[in-house]
Amino acid sequence: TGEIQYRIAKADWSNFDESDDYSYLPKAPYAENDHITAYYKGDLIYGMEPDTGSFLRAGTTGIDESGTGGFSVYPNPVTDKLTIMMTGENAGEVQITLHNALGKLLLIQEVQGTRQELDMSPFPRGVYIVTVTGSGTSAYKKIIKE
């Protein structure tokens, strides 16, 4: 770990137009920015790529990225209550986790049944990852909190 500082300037020192720049987020200095990606030996280990929307953190394995994943979520975007409907092999006992876009674990619930609600009201607006793990499989969906 360590601190990286950089400065990029045009030859004429005029301002850059960052209105259509995926990685630009107007935040305070030293704030984390998940729109900046980091690669190690060709593998994405941090951040979200703009084309795919996939989020990876070092050490993630066995994730179903097919889009079905044995569960569905609604409404998405969500404001207060997120409903999770388990289907197929995930209709029994499962673990539901919620991570923010930076990979920080916010919630773990051990649940049973086909329908669960998550209270999203305590969390700020942003992108979150809901993961359902059960029957030896793990699947995730990206949700947006408004």
Side-chain angles (χ1 to χ4, degrees):
T1 63
E3 201 173 286
I4 298 174
Q5 295 184 11
Y6 61 92
R7 181 178 181 142
I8 300 173
K10 291 183 182 180
D12 65 358
W13 291 93
S14 63
N15 290 332
F16 285 97
D17 177 16
E18 299 173 293
S19 61
D20 194 27
D21 183 352
Y22 174 75
S23 64
Y24 175 71
L25 293 175
K27 291 187 178 181
Y30 304 112
E32 289 192 56
N33 182 352
D34 66 328
H35 286 188
I36 296 174
T37 55
Y39 293 86
Y40 179 71
K41 295 186 178 180
D43 294 325
L44 179 66
I45 60 169
Y46 179 82
M48 284 197 285
E49 294 179 325
D51 332 334
T52 63
S54 63
F55 176 85
L56 293 177
R57 185 68 98 167
T60 58
T61 59
I63 295 176
D64 175 4
E65 296 183 33
S66 66
T68 57
F71 75 102
S72 61
V73 294
Y74 64 88
N76 191 8
V78 63
T79 53
D80 294 323
K81 300 286 185 191
L82 179 71
T83 302
I84 302 172
M85 296 293 294
M86 268 61 83
T87 58
E89 69 277 358
N90 283 334
E93 187 174 324
V94 296
Q95 180 185 66
I96 298 173
T97 59
L98 180 69
H99 291 82
N100 67 14
L102 298 174
K104 181 179 178 186
L105 179 63
L106 303 173
L107 177 84
I108 299 177
Q109 285 186 356
E110 302 284 338
V111 297
Q112 191 162 349
T114 58
R115 183 178 188 275
Q116 294 297 321
E117 277 193 356
L118 290 183
D119 183 12
M120 297 294 293
S121 60
F123 304 112
R125 293 173 40 187
V127 177
Y128 295 87
I129 308 298
V130 174
T131 306
V132 173
T133 304
S135 303
T137 64
S138 187
Y140 75 95
K141 297 208 184 297
K142 180 171 71 170
I143 60 166
I144 298 170
K145 165 77 184 327
E146 291 185 333

